[in-house]
Amino acid sequence: MDNIAIKIDHLSFGYEKNVDVINDISLSIPASKYISIIGHNGSGKSTLAKLILGLLEAKEGTIEIFGKELNADNVADIRKDLGIVFQNPDNQFVGATVADDIAFGLENRQVPHEDMQAIIEEVATKVHMEDFLSKEPVNLSGGQKQRVAIAGVLAMNPKIIVFDEATAMLDPRGKREIRELIVKMKDANPELTLISITHDIEEANLSDLIYVMNEGKIIFSGTPEEVFANRAELEKIRLDLPFFYKFKAALLEQGLPVESCHDLTSLVSYLCQ
Ligand SMILES: Nc1ncnc2c1ncn2[C@@H]1O[C@H](COP(=O)(O)OP(=O)(O)OP(=O)(O)O)[C@@H](O)[C@H]1O
Ligand SMILES: [Mg+2]
């Protein structure tokens, strides 16, 4: 059996009495995978992330992180295994320079000063920000700030990293950079469990598994291919499909036998024959 990173059992939560925005969710997220959570605005994605991170307390149900049930006594301990990158790059910067910012979490964990510099340089290099260590945040683009936020999280060496719409406020180039970085991080760190909450359907298409949320429930889960096979249901809840699936569907409607094409390259080779 796969190692399970997060096991959720009959989880419910509401900000107000009698209004559950997380509605009896049960799921098991396998470890060492790249997971996307998609769903329209207000479907409960960020609330679910905050419950997993122990920032909100469940009304009913349980959450286990690597087999340990999250509770008030162990939340601080379990959170050491978790890192999060939020949406707004400006709200995540706490240091006066890039190096200070990355150092912040290390200082909190009382990492000895003589070890810090090497860690800072290593994680800054991983996000391609090694030449910016003495720069101030005002001089960085949104994408660069998000890369620094990711470096800060990597410095903590967590087992699970959650991205809550980390690319939403970035321009197309920034989005592409972070998207590529996520894939690269996963390749360089096969043990890591990455959970990306995203409205970027092309990004979701790169992940190993997708969970689709609607009205506080998980309505589909599986590989991108399995999930995007539910085209009509996804359209009903106003979720778009990646370009590849729309293109393939349009070709099938035209009577072209492209059923066995599983990616854009094979579709294009078929068309160019
Ligand atoms: N602090 C809060 N107090 C009261 N209600 C809240 C609060 N935060 C979120 N909600 C409500 O809970 C529901 C789920 O919100 P949540 O932020 O989890 O959705 P989301 O899927 O992350 O949406 P988005 O895609 O817009 O980020 C929504 O109806 C939202 O209005
Ligand atoms: Mg959200």
Side-chain angles (χ1 to χ4, degrees):
M1 206 184 86
D2 279 344
N3 194 8
I4 301 298
I6 301 173
K7 186 166 183 289
I8 293 177
D9 198 35
H10 295 293
L11 182 70
S12 293
F13 173 84
Y15 293 96
E16 289 156 41
K17 229 178 156 193
N18 304 326
V19 189
D20 282 356
V21 297
I22 296 296
N23 195 344
D24 195 18
I25 287 183
S26 296
L27 55 83
S28 290
I29 296 181
S32 314
K33 299 270 190 232
Y34 171 17
I35 310 284
S36 291
I37 301 180
I38 61 174
H40 64 74
N41 296 120
S43 55
K45 306 179 298 295
S46 295
T47 304
L48 181 62
K50 286 177 188 154
L51 286 160
I52 291 171
L53 291 156
L55 302 173
L56 294 172
E57 205 178 323
K59 187 180 94 180
E60 274 169 50
T62 57
I63 300 173
E64 282 178 21
I65 313 280
F66 288 108
K68 276 188 243 161
E69 187 180 324
L70 199 60
N71 60 43
D73 296 331
N74 65 15
V75 60
D77 208 30
I78 289 183
R79 213 181 280 159
K80 288 185 186 143
D81 286 339
L82 301 163
I84 180 146
V85 182
F86 289 106
Q87 183 179 78
N88 189 339
D90 289 316
N91 292 348
Q92 317 201 38
F93 232 99
V94 287
T97 64
V98 168
D100 288 348
D101 196 73
I102 300 173
F104 183 77
L106 296 170
E107 272 164 11
N108 269 346
R109 288 221 186 144
Q110 284 145 19
V111 171
H113 268 262
E114 58 270 27
D115 299 339
M116 257 188 215
Q117 195 54 33
I119 299 174
I120 292 171
E121 279 171 24
E122 185 195 327
V123 295
T125 305
K126 282 189 179 155
V127 300
H128 311 298
M129 289 297 287
E130 67 276 22
D131 297 334
F132 292 82
L133 285 171
S134 57
K135 294 273 189 296
E136 294 171 28
V138 287
N139 299 322
L140 302 181
S141 70
Q144 289 170 333
K145 285 180 195 163
Q146 284 303 65
R147 271 148 58 189
V148 175
I150 293 171
V153 167
L154 286 175
M156 301 288 100
N157 202 19
K159 293 185 186 152
I160 301 173
I161 302 182
V162 180
F163 295 88
D164 190 352
E165 297 191 39
T167 64
M169 296 178 75
L170 305 181
D171 61 18
R173 181 174 160 191
K175 273 194 181 37
R176 197 177 57 242
E177 281 172 7
I178 300 297
R179 213 192 265 165
E180 285 168 4
L181 183 61
I182 291 177
V183 172
K184 217 183 96 192
M185 260 162 66
K186 190 69 199 86
D187 290 344
N189 228 327
E191 298 281 289
L192 197 62
T193 306
L194 287 181
I195 302 179
S196 178
I197 297 171
T198 183
H199 285 280
D200 180 347
I201 215 79
E202 300 297 340
E203 185 203 320
N205 197 29
L206 301 173
S207 54
D208 299 314
L209 292 171
I210 300 179
Y211 292 84
V212 184
M213 285 195 73
N214 190 45
E215 294 180 352
K217 289 184 182 296
I218 305 286
I219 57 163
F220 294 113
S221 64
T223 62
E225 191 159 14
E226 287 164 351
V227 165
F228 293 127
N230 303 290
R231 185 180 181 185
E233 291 91 338
L234 293 174
E235 276 174 359
K236 245 185 253 163
I237 58 163
R238 303 189 307 279
L239 283 181
D240 204 6
L241 260 67
F243 171 72
F244 163 73
Y245 293 95
K246 286 195 282 198
F247 189 31
K248 182 173 167 177
L251 294 174
L252 287 169
E253 271 167 33
Q254 294 297 314
L256 293 169
V258 291
E259 287 89 351
S260 60
C261 296
H262 294 291
D263 57 26
L264 208 48
T265 315
S266 58
L267 266 189
V268 171
S269 335
Y270 171 82
L271 292 172
C272 295
Q273 264 172 27

